[in-house]
Amino acid sequence: AMTTTEKKSKFLVVGGGIAGVTCAEQLASQFPSERILLLTAAHLIKAVTNFKQVSKTLEDFDVEEQSSSVLEEKYPNIKVIQSAVKELKAHQHRVLTEDAREFQYEKLCICAGGRPKLIAHDNPYVLGIRDTDSAREFQKRLSQARRITVVGNGGIALELVYEIEGCEVIWAIKDQAIGNTFFDAGAAQFLIPTLDVEKPEKRAPCKRAKYTTEDHEQQERCSASAGELGSALGPDWHEGMKLHGAQEVSHKVHVEYQCEIQKIYTQEEFMKSQQIPLLFPDHSSNKGKSPTDKEAWPVYVQLTNGKCYGCDFIVSATGVIPNTEPFTKGNSIEVADDCGIKVDDHMRTSVPDVYAAGDVCTASWEPSALWQQMRLWTQARQMGWYAARCMGADALGEPLELDFCFELFSHITRFFSYKVVLLGKYNAQGLGSEHELLLRCTKGQEYVKAVMRNSRMVGAVLIGETDLEETFENLILNQMDLSAYGEDLLNPNIDIEDYFD
């Protein structure tokens, strides 16, 4: 088929996730008379709603899936085109799509996100969860499952093991503690009891995730061909989905620490392998070694710690790989060690007029001492917004400072129904032994950790309703010498806010 070249546009954005949509919205409001093109492979886009600026750097928002017409109504100068990118011809300033269309741009922003790192490809018993289509597939399979294995220790794995009911969960993590991307072992110990107690009755329905199913037929058609092109899940993706297995048990999670999956066997291969499968460990009656499992399971996992379990299927929740493929081949776009597209402090790639933002990119400027990149919602939104500002400034030949949001890492999320705030080097990232921790913990209520270096606060983890985020943010940003307070810094009877007004 002959390719048709569409009208040339000043700004072209690729990707309908948070970074791409935020970038397009920002460009549209900055340049009301320009047509902004947004190319997206999925038929729904992700929008930020209920945005709240909690403090100087902390922001809280919901993520909603919407049809692209909602975006076009809000910004008449945005045109959304549902089409996957096949090739970027950067030197010609052209993008070719799978359906043989061609778009010319003056400035392009790549916000193509990432796809799940799967522990095994093309294995029908391994499911990667990243977007709503895969979440729905997971829900369907879980309803028949009696035991599953979850691999991974990031946000999605944490949410998953907490939300699943009526199914045994073997949780394999390569670290010494759960959720190590977000917490240290202390915070993990604070949260672990929550895995064993009856969960509180569901909170009032959550306003965040509106996963529409009414146009399911159309979705089935789209997702069949799209494969892994959906955009990432919102922080409350499991709300309103009944994650319930086939058993009567309410909550059974067994964590296998410091191990990975060494081998996956089908039932047939397993019978030949002479391995000995273990029963699900019974935590109530510590009878020593688990007896062997006589049941036949569809799939078996052998862990690197020598243990072996049968299960119904395996969930791979081990992070993402940036979707760089169609953009890097044939172009001299530099890629970082983590496979992301390198961007400078103006979100520019190594190729003229091509920018990138969100999970697809890797920040390759010299970062502030208290900031680090993590592939999270908050950063996708910040990067998308800032990339649009940069594209605009560069187009107009105006200077632009690196945005303040890159001064201090900050993130708000919820785990196990607790509010969690992370600030700065909250896990003492890169500090070696040059730091000390101050802790305060009230079982079942709150966990407060301050990371100190040379009597200055450089990071914090706040779990529960602590109301300390603004104070701590100020202490970190001001780099004030706190040696006068010593251990009293976290003394609940001393209101530190009074000191630092």
Side-chain angles (χ1 to χ4, degrees), residues 202-433:
K202 271 274 182 267
R203 304 186 297 279
C206 165
K207 60 194 180 315
R208 194 177 324 222
K210 293 207 174 67
Y211 293 129
T212 45
T213 40
E214 72 275 333
D215 49 353
H216 212 61
E217 279 60 51
Q218 189 210 343
Q219 251 168 310
E220 296 294 328
R221 276 206 312 280
C222 299
S223 59
S225 58
E228 42 190 33
L229 294 168
S231 45
L233 290 162
D236 276 335
W237 60 274
H238 50 75
E239 290 284 350
M241 296 185 88
K242 250 179 91 61
L243 295 185
H244 206 291
Q247 298 210 30
E248 282 306 302
V249 298
S250 82
H251 214 83
K252 274 186 124 172
V253 178
H254 172 71
V255 187
E256 287 285 354
Y257 294 99
Q258 291 180 285
C259 68
E260 295 179 63
I261 288 193
Q262 191 174 325
K263 201 163 162 42
I264 300 173
Y265 295 97
T266 61
Q267 195 178 56
E268 205 178 344
E269 292 167 339
F270 188 76
M271 296 310 165
K272 290 187 192 137
S273 77
Q274 311 286 295
Q275 292 279 344
I276 294 163
L278 301 175
L279 266 184
F280 190 86
D282 184 354
H283 293 278
S284 56
S285 63
N286 299 316
K287 291 197 200 68
K289 263 189 65 143
S290 301
T292 58
D293 191 343
K294 301 279 182 279
E295 196 166 344
W297 293 90
V299 63
Y300 288 82
V301 294
Q302 186 189 347
L303 304 174
T304 49
N305 62 11
K307 296 185 187 174
C308 204
Y309 293 101
C311 60
D312 288 304
F313 64 92
I314 300 154
V315 178
S316 179
T318 43
V320 299
I321 302 167
N323 277 325
T324 55
E325 246 290 89
F327 308 100
T328 47
K329 52 170 203 275
N331 297 306
S332 50
I333 291 183
E334 282 177 37
V335 171
D337 294 340
D338 66 3
C339 306
I341 293 174
K342 282 187 176 183
V343 292
D344 67 7
D345 60 4
H346 257 217
M347 306 308 284
R348 291 179 289 227
T349 67
S350 57
V351 167
D353 298 321
V354 178
Y355 299 69
D359 284 359
V360 78
C361 80
T362 300
S364 302
W365 64 85
E366 190 53 53
S368 129
L370 298 167
W371 185 84
Q372 63 272 345
Q373 181 180 6
M374 283 181 80
R375 289 181 162 85
L376 299 166
W377 293 96
T378 40
Q379 291 194 353
R381 197 205 69 80
Q382 289 166 342
M383 286 178 167
W385 180 87
Y386 177 60
R389 297 284 319 277
C390 292
M391 290 164 83
D394 293 349
L396 300 167
E398 293 169 356
L400 185 67
E401 292 283 291
L402 183 65
D403 193 78
F404 185 70
C405 68
F406 300 110
E407 272 306 298
L408 173 67
F409 173 86
S410 66
H411 186 57
I412 297 185
T413 184
R414 283 191 174 270
F415 284 123
F416 300 8
S417 57
Y418 287 101
K419 175 176 164 187
V420 176
V421 175
L422 307 173
L423 294 168
K425 300 289 172 186
Y426 63 88
N427 242 353
Q429 293 95 325
L431 298 182
S433 54

Side-chain angles (χ1 to χ4, degrees), residues 5 11 53 68 76 127 176 199 218 220 262 392 395 398 431 443 468 477:
T5 301
F11 300 112
Q53 192 72 43
S68 49
L127 200 64
Q176 291 171 329
K199 292 209 300 270
Q218 189 210 343
E220 296 294 328
Q262 191 174 325
E398 293 169 356
L431 298 182
K443 202 171 180 280
L468 290 169
L477 286 170

Side-chain angles (χ1 to χ4, degrees), residues 61-77:
F61 57 85
D62 298 336
V63 173
E64 224 175 75
E65 284 204 308
Q66 294 176 348
S67 100
S68 49
S69 56
V70 178
L71 184 65
E72 291 175 328
E73 274 157 32
K74 200 163 141 205
Y75 297 93
N77 58 330

Side-chain angles (χ1 to χ4, degrees), residues 14 41 84-90 94-98 108 110 112-113 115 229 322-331 333 341 360:
V14 175
V85 171
K86 185 177 178 182
E87 192 188 348
L88 164 63
K89 295 189 168 178
R94 285 170 194 268
V95 167
L96 277 59
T97 59
E98 293 288 358
L108 164 71
I110 301 168
R115 59 184 188 283
L229 294 168
N323 277 325
T324 55
E325 246 290 89
F327 308 100
T328 47
K329 52 170 203 275
N331 297 306
I333 291 183
I341 293 174
V360 78

